[in-house]
């Protein structure tokens, strides 16, 4: 069977894409490939100088803008300055299993980076989005447990890995509820999930888990990991599809439409997570 690669990307001339956390890792590969296919790529990054250096000499159009998805003031400024159509928003920025830390808004840093910040960004940009929102998720959402009364780790003892898993499940449920709302309003905009499997990036640098380095035969190189995101961003998949590697355990391989975990398909929980996140962020619950 022919495997889908970045060479199969359609011509994206005239399309504008925002990629958060695009200065390195999977986000940078995604930015490079979408630009190569002709898209106007807006890179929302914390360190604009580093991102500029990363794309120097790379063919394509890159527009590098400051964005810290864990800082809601930065998120609002980024979205507030947007004008014109945005075809594709890719919520890629993420952290994994980091130590407990509070943001400038007093929120949990990991949960905000992976879920609350992207939730606010997406809602604020939604009126401009014409094609789709892609959420970078993880197979680890399957292990996720969400405590609706403490989404932001205020009363429980913080656990970095549990917080990662919960934040990724929250993102999967966000996609489900977003798609429901979009469809209910008659919008043609899609919400799509992309899991890179396990790709050998710096993501797990803070983690006690040494899985990536110990089991390289089970993992994707970053180029292949990014294919799930590229596929989810450009292929004609149904709303709320879960795109991930076609190989063993969804950990490695080429992109295919797979299925999210059962907990990620619970519409009642999705609506509750939406409301709880909106409360947390003081964001508009559209
Ligand atoms: N690699 C994997 O195996 C894997 C598996 C499942 C899911 N994912 C998901 O894929 C996404 C990308 O991960 P990766 O593997 O490319 O990790 P990575 O190499 O560590 O890159 C993470 C990116 O996120 C950015 N970022 C972190 N916090 C940010 C913030 N507050 N505001 C803006 N940008 C921020 C980083 O920017 P700085 O340079 O400023 O730090 C960096 O560009 C994440 O959402 C991750 O959860 C990855």
């Amino acid at each position: 069977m022919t495997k889908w690669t970045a060479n199969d990307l359609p011509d994206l001339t005239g399309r504008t894409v925002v990629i958060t956390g695009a200065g390195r890792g999977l986000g940078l590969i995604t930015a490079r490939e979408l630009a190569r296919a002709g898209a106007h790529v807006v890179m929302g990054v914390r360190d604009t100088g580093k991102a500029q250096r990363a794309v120097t000499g790379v063919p394509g159009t890159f527009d590098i803008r400051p964005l810290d998805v864990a800082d809601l003031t930065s998120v609002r400024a980024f979205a507030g300055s947007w004008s014109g159509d945005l075809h594709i928003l890719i919520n890629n920025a993420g952290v994994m299993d980091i130590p407990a830390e509070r943001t400038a808004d007093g929120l949990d840093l990991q949960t905000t980076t992976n879920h609350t910040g992207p939730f606010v960004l997406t809602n604020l940009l939604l009126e401009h989005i014409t094609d789709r929102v892609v959420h970078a998720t993880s197979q680890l959402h399957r292990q996720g447990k969400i405590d609706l009364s403490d989404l932001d780790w205020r009363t429980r003892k913080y656990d970095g890995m549990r917080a990662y898993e919960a934040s990724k499940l929250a993102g999967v449920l966000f996609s489900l509820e977003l798609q429901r709302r979009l469809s209910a309003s008659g919008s043609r905009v899609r919400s799509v999930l992309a899991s890179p499997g396990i790709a050998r990036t710096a993501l797990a640098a803070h983690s006690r888990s040494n899985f990536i380095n110990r089991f390289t035969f089970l993992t994707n190189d970053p180029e292949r990991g990014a294919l799930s995101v590229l596929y989810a961003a450009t292929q004609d998949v149904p709303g709320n599809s879960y795109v991930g590697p076609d190989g063993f355990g969804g950990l490695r391989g080429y992109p295919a439409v797979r299925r999210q975990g059962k907990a990620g398909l619970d519409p009642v929980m999705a609506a509750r997570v939406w409301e709880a996140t909106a409360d947390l962020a003081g964001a508009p619950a559209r």
Side-chain angles (χ1 to χ4, degrees):
M1 207 171 90
T2 312
K3 304 292 190 182
W4 192 91
T5 73
N7 290 331
D8 298 313
L9 281 167
D11 180 4
L12 298 172
T13 306
R15 318 272 286 170
T16 299
V17 184
V18 165
I19 309 169
T20 67
R24 62 184 172 88
L26 302 179
L28 178 59
I29 297 169
T30 304
R32 186 195 71 207
E33 291 303 325
L34 293 178
R36 192 170 62 85
H40 174 76
V41 173
V42 179
M43 301 166 72
V45 296
R46 290 193 287 199
D47 185 337
T48 53
K50 194 171 78 175
Q52 185 59 63
R53 288 190 292 281
V55 294
T56 298
V58 176
T61 319
F62 300 97
D63 175 352
I64 300 171
R65 303 189 190 179
L67 174 62
D68 181 342
V69 297
D71 177 347
L72 299 186
T73 305
S74 169
V75 170
R76 290 187 188 108
F78 181 93
S81 69
W82 194 268
S83 65
D85 283 351
L86 167 56
H87 299 93
I88 304 166
L89 167 63
I90 302 179
N91 285 315
N92 162 79
V95 288
M96 177 182 171
D97 194 10
I98 57 169
E101 193 177 325
R102 292 273 145 190
T103 70
D105 304 288
L107 302 171
D108 172 56
L109 179 59
Q110 183 163 208
T111 306
T112 310
T113 307
N114 294 350
H115 171 62
T116 315
F119 173 91
V120 176
L121 182 69
T122 304
N123 271 293
L124 292 176
L125 286 174
L126 207 51
E127 64 182 299
H128 301 286
I129 298 174
T130 59
D131 182 342
R132 69 188 74 185
V133 182
V134 178
H135 315 260
T137 185
S138 162
Q139 282 290 77
L140 288 171
H141 82 274
R142 294 170 199 277
Q143 267 107 279
K145 302 244 176 320
I146 291 178
D147 182 342
L148 278 173
S149 66
D150 189 25
L151 203 57
D152 203 45
W153 296 88
R154 284 165 198 262
T155 55
R156 286 170 294 161
K157 184 169 165 9
Y158 177 84
D159 179 305
M161 204 57 200
R162 300 291 89 78
Y164 182 73
E165 293 161 0
S167 69
K168 289 299 176 182
L169 175 56
V172 171
L173 289 163
F174 170 37
S175 172
L176 176 63
E177 175 65 7
L178 178 60
Q179 186 60 61
R180 188 194 68 74
R181 289 175 182 236
L182 288 166
S183 302
S185 69
S187 170
R188 293 170 66 89
V189 172
R190 281 177 261 197
S191 174
V192 184
L193 293 153
S195 161
I198 298 184
R200 299 186 291 277
T201 66
L203 182 70
H206 304 277
S207 180
R208 289 155 290 159
S209 154
N210 195 24
F211 186 88
I212 291 183
N213 296 324
R214 272 192 295 154
F215 297 105
T216 51
F217 65 98
L218 279 178
T219 61
N220 268 337
D221 62 42
E223 297 289 330
R224 204 180 286 172
L227 291 181
S228 292
V229 183
L230 292 167
Y231 190 98
T234 60
Q235 300 303 294
D236 187 17
V237 294
N240 201 40
S241 291
Y242 183 92
V243 176
D246 60 0
F248 173 72
L251 300 182
R252 60 168 293 168
Y254 290 85
V257 174
R258 311 278 309 229
R259 194 174 166 83
Q260 49 274 71
K262 204 168 153 215
L265 288 166
D266 177 345
V268 175
M269 192 62 177
R272 288 185 180 152
V273 166
W274 182 289
E275 294 304 332
T277 311
D279 281 352
L280 201 59
R286 284 179 91 249

